[in-house]
Amino acid sequence: MEDINQTKMSQLNTYLESVQLGGFRCIQDMNASFLPGLNILIGKNGSGKTNFLTLASSVLGFDFEEISEFKADFKIAGETSFRLQLSRQASNAISELEKKEGDVFTAEVKTHYEYHGPEALLFEDRRPGNDVNRKNIPTEGDLEDNLALSRNIERLYGVAMIKHGTPMIFPFVSSPASIERSENGGKSRLPKEVFNSSLPAFSRFLYSHFGFARTFSDEDASEALNKTARELSRVVSSFTQIEDIRFCETKIISKVGEFFKIENLQLEFRINDEWLTFNYLSDGTKRMFYIIAELSFNNLTDYAYKFGRQSITVSSKDGLPFSTITFIEEPELGVHPHQLMRILDFLKQYSEKNQVILTTHAPQALDILEKDELDRINIMTSSKGGGSEIKKLTVKQKNKAGLYKEQAYLRDYWIHSTLEI
């Protein structure tokens, strides 16, 4: 396993360099720039932090189900650099002139895109009776008419969004799951849960990891499960009070014909020498496990997984690992202040090869920054017109913050300043 404590990269594969957003709730016309690695977003309640995370993560992940209207202009930098402009607006499918009394009034929604970057986005034209042709994807148009664009761009970066609390549905963790495989792997299909974007990425990883297994006897299935639990335990025990992790010993392995089925797959956690299921953990421990598992599952195997809304990509860890643009909403909620610093330490280390944009109301979150990292602080405020905007520290604010960093804690500067006004 590639230990998260030993991983360091001078440059991320891809990261969100800048964004212009509008047309969504209080996000009307907002510009923001971010750095590779860790970015901290602070601001008063109602300033628009949650709306920003929701809009940015949803659009970057091509998930528009809850967003009817918006406009977005993303600049992605790193090894692969490009610009992606997306906008969506609901329009009447029937014009007022065409509308007759009794007509059903419907709305048509189209998502327009413009892509500016390397001409490396190709799709295969597989029309019946024709040879397979590889064509460049058009650089602009309606996304609904060209889903190949989203499928290809999803391969260039990953997106993770961690909201408040823990998932209501969390297979393998808060509820048992089952896996079915053929003995030689030849006739098996990936479980449908792998493509369910509403499930946590950690659950989808477990479904896909064992779904991709080439062989799956009752003996190597048990060993594979135990190995995955051991590797996860190494990471989680470094940052939480969880001492060890295992799969429930009462799992059922049965064989019907060529197929093996493993049922009652659920993790158990050892705390103070007692084995507990997830539902018996404290809310803070649940939250910490969820964040760590969701962001470190690619360190558990020799393969890296990237889940898009419409696709899954698997790559050997021998190649350059995927970078993920990660949005986290208030990691401190439900977590003891002492545990918060441990989860922040994890996020700082995770951000060495992935971009992290987190919102927080916890002043001690700033303590993980060094004196030369003050540009990683972003302040969200509400403008007079009701919209939201994101600003960096001014030169004067940086000088004052530097004095606090030298003589006390950076948290004290936030507490005793007017940063959020």
Side-chain angles (χ1 to χ4, degrees):
M1 184 184 94
E2 186 178 15
D3 196 325
I4 194 169
N5 292 290
Q6 300 174 350
T7 301
K8 232 174 187 180
M9 290 179 63
S10 58
Q11 184 180 14
L12 304 186
N13 293 5
T14 52
Y15 65 94
L16 177 60
E17 181 180 47
S18 65
V19 62
Q20 181 177 0
L21 295 173
F24 178 72
R25 298 176 184 170
C26 66
I27 310 297
Q28 296 303 317
D29 188 13
M30 189 192 74
N31 293 278
S33 61
F34 300 100
L35 296 173
L38 182 64
N39 299 264
I40 297 177
L41 180 58
I42 67 175
K44 289 185 174 181
N45 287 333
S47 60
K49 299 187 301 298
T50 297
N51 289 336
F52 166 75
L53 292 189
T54 299
L55 181 57
S57 63
S58 297
V59 176
L60 277 173
F62 296 95
D63 183 1
F64 311 120
E65 287 187 0
E66 298 180 5
I67 304 175
S68 59
E69 297 189 14
F70 69 88
K71 57 181 179 179
D73 187 343
F74 297 101
K75 288 185 179 179
I76 306 295
E79 181 163 304
T80 302
S81 299
F82 59 94
R83 182 180 178 188
L84 182 63
Q85 295 171 285
L86 293 159
S87 61
R88 196 180 204 199
Q89 186 174 2
S91 60
N92 297 335
I94 304 175
S95 69
E96 290 296 327
L97 294 176
E98 297 172 330
K99 186 178 178 183
K100 299 177 182 178
E101 187 175 353
D103 279 345
V104 177
F105 191 69
T106 60
E108 182 179 47
V109 179
K110 285 287 186 180
T111 307
H112 184 78
Y113 75 86
E114 290 186 23
Y115 170 80
H116 308 276
E119 295 182 2
L121 297 181
L122 301 174
F123 71 100
E124 293 183 351
D125 187 356
R126 292 178 173 270
R127 296 177 185 176
N130 295 339
D131 294 333
V132 174
N133 296 315
R134 292 180 65 80
K135 298 182 178 181
N136 283 312
I137 293 175
T139 57
E140 64 177 298
D142 288 326
L143 193 64
E144 289 82 359
D145 299 331
N146 188 11
L147 295 178
L149 175 96
S150 61
R151 293 191 183 99
N152 278 265
I153 287 186
E154 282 179 342
R155 296 177 179 272
L156 300 179
Y157 61 83
V159 177
M161 173 64 181
I162 297 181
K163 299 182 179 180
H164 293 152
T166 54
M168 295 291 293
I169 302 175
F170 205 168
F172 297 97
V173 180
S174 64
S175 60
S178 62
I179 298 172
E180 185 175 286
R181 287 289 301 171
S182 68
E183 187 171 10
N184 59 17
K187 296 183 179 180
S188 299
R189 293 183 178 180
L190 287 176
K192 64 181 184 302
E193 290 85 356
V194 172
F195 304 97
N196 184 352
S197 61
S198 66
L199 292 179
F202 177 66
S203 297
R204 298 172 71 185
F205 153 72
L206 289 176
Y207 278 119
S208 60
H209 178 55
F210 297 110
F212 276 119
R214 292 184 179 180
T215 61
F216 212 59
S217 66
D218 55 352
E219 182 177 348
D220 61 29
S222 295
E223 175 54 29
L225 292 167
N226 292 333
K227 180 182 178 182
T228 302
R230 287 195 301 268
E231 298 294 352
L232 177 61
S233 180
R234 286 179 56 189
V235 181
V236 173
S237 62
S238 298
F239 297 97
T240 75
Q241 67 182 110
I242 297 172
E243 300 161 353
D244 199 2
I245 297 174
R246 70 182 183 188
F247 278 95
C248 176
E249 294 182 337
T250 58
K251 57 182 175 289
I252 303 169
I253 302 178
S254 57
K255 184 178 180 183
V256 179
E258 294 183 50
F259 287 87
F260 283 93
K261 186 173 185 180
I262 307 181
E263 301 175 272
N264 200 37
L265 288 173
Q266 185 171 6
L267 291 176
E268 295 180 330
F269 307 85
R270 193 179 76 193
I271 297 179
N272 297 326
D273 288 329
E274 183 179 3
W275 287 101
L276 304 169
T277 59
F278 189 73
N279 294 330
Y280 284 94
L281 304 185
S282 68
D283 289 343
T285 303
K286 289 178 181 178
R287 173 73 168 161
M288 293 178 70
F289 172 82
Y290 168 51
I291 293 174
I292 293 174
E294 197 74 352
L295 300 184
S296 62
F297 63 82
N298 272 330
N299 289 321
L300 306 181
T301 71
D302 294 329
Y303 291 87
Y305 294 79
K306 181 162 59 178
F307 300 101
R309 178 165 179 78
Q310 306 173 54
S311 62
I312 173 177
T313 305
V314 184
S315 173
S316 168
K317 296 297 282 293
D318 294 336
L320 200 61
F322 299 128
S323 286
T324 300
I325 303 171
T326 306
F327 300 91
I328 304 179
E329 188 173 17
E330 299 180 19
E332 70 271 13
L333 287 186
V335 175
H336 188 276
H338 175 70
Q339 291 178 309
L340 173 60
M341 294 312 300
R342 299 179 74 180
I343 201 68
L344 290 171
D345 285 341
F346 166 80
L347 293 175
K348 186 72 179 289
Q349 294 180 34
Y350 170 81
S351 70
E352 290 172 358
K353 67 172 185 175
N354 300 277
Q355 186 180 42
V356 175
I357 302 172
L358 67 85
T359 65
T360 182
H361 288 290
Q364 59 265 48
L366 299 188
D367 291 344
I368 63 174
L369 298 178
E370 301 298 331
K371 187 177 178 180
D372 61 352
E373 294 183 311
L374 298 178
D375 278 334
R376 299 186 181 279
I377 301 174
N378 303 269
I379 307 167
M380 176 163 274
T381 60
S382 297
S383 64
K384 293 181 180 180
S388 298
E389 55 186 359
I390 295 178
K391 299 179 179 179
K392 301 285 188 180
L393 295 185
T394 64
V395 173
K396 184 177 180 180
Q397 288 172 325
K398 287 182 184 179
N399 291 336
K400 192 171 183 179
L403 293 175
Y404 272 91
K405 188 66 180 177
E406 291 177 356
Q407 302 175 11
Y409 294 97
L410 200 50
R411 74 180 81 167
D412 296 321
Y413 177 51
W414 184 0
I415 293 171
H416 300 296
S417 74
T418 56
L419 284 179
E420 297 174 298
I421 295 178

